Amino acid sequence: MNVNDKRCFFPGERMETHSQILDRLRSAFRSGITVPEVFRQAQLKQLMSLMTENEDQILDALKKDLSKPKFESIIAEVDMVINELHFTIANLNSWMQPEYVSKNLATKLDDCFVRREPLGVVLIIGPWNYPLQLLLSPLIAAIGAGNCAILKPSEVSAATDALVAELIPKYMSQDCYAVVRGAAEETKALLKNRFDHIFYTGSQAVARHILHAAADHLTPVTLELGGKCPCLIYGKVNITYAARRLAWSKFFNTGQSCVAPDFLVCSKATRDALLPALRQTLEDFYSKEPESSADLPRIVSPRHWTRLMELLKRSKGKVVMGGESNEENKYIAPTVLVDVAEDDALMEEEIFGPFLPILTAETLEEAIALINRQEKPLALYVFSEESSVVNTVLEKSSSGGFCSNDGIIHMALPTLPFGGVGASGFGSYHGRWGFETLSHQRAVMLRGWTLERLNGLRYPPYTEDKLSWLRWTTSAKPSCSLM
């Protein structure tokens, strides 16, 4: 057995080592089966069938894992995947066409274009917070680009993990797509093998281990991480609307979203006006007894619940809303804190839970400086009716994505790239962006045997006259043909 092999079997699963799975997928890829558009389209439609024919099972698994309400599961898991599938199926043919490039005089008679080619076998490691959408959306990109793929669902979301392992072999080509299950040790063993691309969504800590493992094989990596996504409220704003949009985006999935607003920055006057509106909004959303609300999911595991409660305990901020919890059912109330300093415990790391710390800054410059002292986030939100405020923040900050006067919904548009910058990750996907990430852009020049006399300009013996003519024929000129 290969030293990089590890066996980790679950009832009903195919009995294979990691290297055997990889060999099977590599053999299929080298046969060329995944390259034709007809195969890619067929597999995308099979994935569509998986989603539409098993919706009840999917909703049940998400309910078991995170107590997700049907509403949130549909819009953030099921429909996100289905919409991505529709978009990819409709546009795949155009994405696969060669992209012709501009030419100079020396290449005027050549065919010069960029050809998108599949990479090979892609490893997709999914997270637990959106355990279906953040696993299958990269798979859609992998299939569209003509790759084979191994899926590694998160073991933390155990019900979805098991369901994915059951359904993928039923609907997808088993020669081209596989699911590997297990915990951290299983993932470490899997990463000892060589892949053609690794696509990881999760924490920065785990991302560092993945980068180290990928470096051994010079494997390219896409990292979809998170960070502390700021929300800035400044200038003229409708406080009621701001409170509702902020609360929805922050406490959706109980704050367990990589693009959730992690902390709020506003002036003291805005804070004082916002707090009553936030209090009313939370009561409207989740009632006066949010623990009994069917619309508020739970923390994913006891370990994550304990981490969050320890974080809250260490914070020196003042809790003005929420703070209640129940360890038995992993409940934590939507919680708002004021008087939070930049060096507070809640500002040390991504919260990834239902705590909203509010920091104050009296000028726009001060607020932007506070935001820029943090690592570059996956998303940045600005609430203001003043376009000058929005544009100033956009120009003087950096983030993976940017949205004004709302939160998290920018990631639902497949025509926009979704990805981080700096510590929040690198590489992007959704729509064509995922197709490009998991394709090789191959430069192609097709030329014949004509114009050999012109080619003679580059052959020895070299002369100043030859050099002068060669520079003229290869220089970029406005009149050069684009085809």
Side-chain angles (χ1 to χ4, degrees), residues 201-268:
T201 303
S203 71
Q204 295 174 357
V206 175
R208 291 183 176 90
H209 293 293
I210 289 173
L211 281 175
H212 280 297
D216 289 340
H217 301 288
L218 297 179
T219 299
V221 177
T222 298
L223 298 179
E224 298 294 342
L225 309 179
K228 299 187 71 62
C229 300
C231 180
L232 169 62
I233 300 179
Y234 191 84
K236 186 179 179 182
V237 65
N238 186 307
I239 288 294
T240 300
Y241 293 173
R244 294 174 70 84
R245 297 184 187 189
L246 173 61
W248 180 80
S249 55
K250 172 61 186 179
F251 300 113
F252 190 92
N253 202 28
T254 317
Q256 298 169 115
S257 304
C258 57
V259 289
D262 190 89
F263 64 96
L264 174 65
V265 181
C266 62
S267 68
K268 291 180 180 178

Side-chain angles (χ1 to χ4, degrees), residues 5 7 53 60 72 84 108 175 216 259 350 353 359 367 370 448:
D5 282 346
R7 297 177 183 269
E53 294 173 11
D60 183 60
E72 291 194 6
E84 184 82 10
K108 190 173 180 64
D175 291 329
D216 289 340
V259 289
E350 183 179 8
L359 287 73
L370 189 159

Side-chain angles (χ1 to χ4, degrees), residues 447-480:
R447 59 178 8 195
W449 295 99
T450 57
L451 298 181
E452 182 60 18
R453 185 174 181 180
L454 180 61
N455 291 334
L457 294 175
R458 57 191 166 96
Y459 300 151
Y462 302 135
T463 67
E464 289 295 321
D465 191 48
K466 283 184 177 181
L467 180 61
S468 177
W469 277 101
L470 188 63
R471 295 183 71 180
W472 183 76
T473 60
T474 59
S475 63
K477 298 179 178 63
S479 59
C480 282

